[in-house]
Amino acid sequence: MNHILVTGGAGYIGSHTVLELLKLGENVVVIDDLSNSSKESLNRVETLSGKAVTFFEGSILDQDLLVNIFSQFSFSSVIHFAGHKAVGESVNKPLSYYHNNVQGTVSLVEVMEKFNVNNLVFSSSATVYGEGAKPPYIETQTLGCPTSPYGQTKLMVERILADVVRSNSDFKVANLRYFNPIGADESGQIGEDPNGIPNNLMPFVAQVAVGKRAELSIFGNDYATEDGTCERDYIHVTDLAQGHVAALNWLVNQAHGLCEAFNLGTGTPYSVLKIVKSFEQYTKVKVPFKFVPRRDGDLDAFWANADKAADKLNWQAHKTMQDMMEDTWRWQSNNPNGYNA
Ligand code: NAD
Ligand code: UDP
């Protein structure tokens, strides 16, 4: 029986993707060291789908564990989410990021090659386009220099995977470049549960709304955008999860080794202020905010050209801004303390 291995599957995007895979009847094995997640996410995914997940607690850096797992299951493919993702933290702890994200991927791919598992979907990021890129970002443009060690790890892994494909004509890779994932499964049972003070906009907005934090700080209102606040391409996490399913289906049907990148975004930019106003409009909950100076490394505006994913993967984002806001709020208001309630 074929299985899909999901690394980092207990995390935010991983748990939503595992749910979509189980709903489609796939057999899923997860490895996660729970460094930024809780096993409770997968308990809830099992309840929502009515199907079991096989879970291994441990790191992809542990090759003995990987070999043990690969010996027990026949994997058709791997979806690789595991990694550290805090941009600011990566500036202070670059070696931890290079070790976990880059060496972790090398460790995983070595074991994949050993067991002849040839399909890999990798969590990349729009950050690989770098500072000088002009939006909308498109896959054909030359990649730039990401502004943080975190971004560098994504670029390095993309390059390593391209080299692996050059050396192994059976190996197939889809690098999915996410824009800004937000929202939660419509059940309100799983969602984003950051440790400590949220770095990202949406969980911060949700925690202000639920009364855990007094007000949102909006980083900069003097950017070259319509209302002066930064613009991003926010994508619903369920659309993103379905993008992984589409990428896997495409990958397994390719005859030869390849390494292809796909933007997963909506193609529409929203400003920080518009996000706050939309949240208030659709949830009827006020979000007090103040303007503070710009955050280092933030770019004015970027969004996706997502035509390639539509053409090749037959995938596009369907959820609306209203879905993103209502689903975020359903998750946060049902679980004010995340999975630790
Ligand atoms: P997350 O932190 O919720 O999920 C990552 C998971 O990987 C966590 O459960 C963590 O415990 C696990 N993990 C970390 N290192 C591990 C290791 N060495 N071995 C096993 N498990 C390990 O983050 P997320 O938002 O779900 O992101 C998933 C992936 O997508 C990450 O690689 C991230 O860099 C990438 N990504 C995220 C965003 C975003 O905005 N959320 C944007 C672009 C790319
Ligand atoms: N942002 C903000 N206040 C916060 C968190 C984020 O104003 O507390 C802004 C940030 O400056 C950026 C946008 O929200 O313009 C999205 O930031 P996030 O960290 O969510 O994603 P990024 O695009 O940086 O990956």
Side-chain angles (χ1 to χ4, degrees):
M1 192 197 298
N2 267 341
H3 284 72
I4 297 169
L5 177 66
V6 181
T7 77
Y12 172 45
I13 306 169
S15 56
H16 286 80
T17 304
V18 171
L19 177 60
E20 296 305 311
L21 290 169
L22 293 178
K23 281 185 187 168
L24 291 169
E26 300 287 359
N27 301 303
V28 179
V29 175
V30 167
I31 176 173
D32 197 305
D33 64 4
L34 302 182
S35 56
N36 196 38
S37 54
S38 158
K39 169 73 173 55
E40 176 60 14
S41 63
L42 293 178
N43 297 340
R44 295 189 184 188
V45 162
E46 288 186 324
T47 306
L48 287 169
S49 65
K51 275 201 71 183
V53 181
T54 306
F55 176 66
F56 291 89
E57 181 174 347
S59 172
I60 53 168
L61 286 158
D62 179 350
Q63 276 201 335
D64 291 341
L65 174 61
L66 286 179
V67 167
N68 179 343
I69 297 172
F70 277 72
S71 305
Q72 292 182 50
F73 299 91
S74 166
F75 292 119
S76 56
S77 38
V78 175
I79 306 182
H80 176 30
F81 294 104
H84 296 332
K85 64 159 183 178
V87 175
E89 183 185 60
S90 78
V91 176
N92 297 321
K93 296 183 183 171
L95 295 178
S96 159
Y97 274 69
Y98 290 118
H99 183 62
N100 197 48
N101 294 8
V102 180
Q103 183 54 33
T105 305
V106 171
S107 165
L108 173 70
V109 175
E110 279 177 351
V111 178
M112 287 179 70
E113 285 205 307
K114 191 175 168 134
F115 285 83
N116 211 17
V117 176
N118 288 320
N119 298 305
L120 177 65
V121 173
F122 172 60
S123 297
S124 189
S125 164
T127 189
V128 298
Y129 289 105
E131 228 171 336
K134 291 262 175 302
Y137 294 169
I138 186 162
E139 294 88 345
T140 46
Q141 77 199 59
T142 309
L143 297 183
C145 185
T147 49
S148 69
Y150 164 74
Q152 293 287 358
T153 68
K154 294 294 174 192
L155 185 58
M156 283 179 191
V157 168
E158 283 207 18
R159 292 199 165 134
I160 290 169
L161 294 175
D163 286 342
V164 172
V165 169
R166 272 190 283 274
S167 73
N168 175 353
S169 57
D170 293 326
F171 208 75
K172 294 181 272 178
V173 177
N175 289 314
L176 303 185
R177 296 178 182 157
Y178 312 157
F179 282 67
N180 286 60
I182 61 170
D185 182 66
E186 62 183 7
S187 64
Q189 290 297 305
I190 58 172
E192 188 166 13
D193 181 20
N195 282 334
I197 301 171
N199 297 303
N200 296 109
L201 177 64
M202 211 55 228
F204 206 109
V205 166
Q207 290 194 7
V208 171
V210 87
K212 281 186 82 175
R213 309 205 177 268
E215 63 183 352
L216 170 73
S217 295
I218 296 184
F219 301 136
N221 61 347
D222 57 352
Y223 283 98
T225 58
E226 217 174 279
D227 64 24
T229 65
C230 292
E231 293 177 349
R232 297 286 181 272
D233 183 340
Y234 295 92
I235 173 172
H236 194 293
V237 66
T238 299
D239 278 330
L240 189 65
Q242 289 168 356
H244 291 73
V245 174
L248 262 193
N249 288 340
W250 177 80
L251 210 55
V252 296
N253 286 311
Q254 300 307 302
H256 303 290
L258 51 77
C259 185
E260 291 260 0
F262 295 94
N263 288 340
L264 297 186
T266 64
T268 306
Y270 278 87
S271 74
V272 177
L273 262 182
K274 265 194 184 165
I275 288 285
V276 173
K277 294 297 160 202
S278 299
F279 186 88
E280 292 183 336
Q281 177 189 348
Y282 294 122
T283 66
K284 311 286 177 233
V285 183
K286 287 296 282 180
V287 178
F289 67 85
K290 64 178 177 203
F291 293 114
V292 299
R294 293 177 173 202
R295 181 172 71 176
D296 272 356
D298 275 341
L299 303 177
D300 292 38
F302 62 84
W303 61 96
N305 174 320
D307 292 350
K308 184 176 174 187
D311 291 348
K312 288 203 169 185
L313 306 182
N314 197 20
W315 169 91
Q316 56 188 12
H318 292 294
K319 299 269 190 186
T320 62
M321 185 50 67
Q322 182 168 356
D323 297 326
M324 297 188 219
M325 298 301 141
E326 289 179 349
D327 293 343
T328 298
W329 184 230
R330 194 171 301 110
W331 155 251
Q332 186 70 64
S333 53
N334 285 346
N335 306 272
N337 298 311
Y339 292 114
N340 298 321

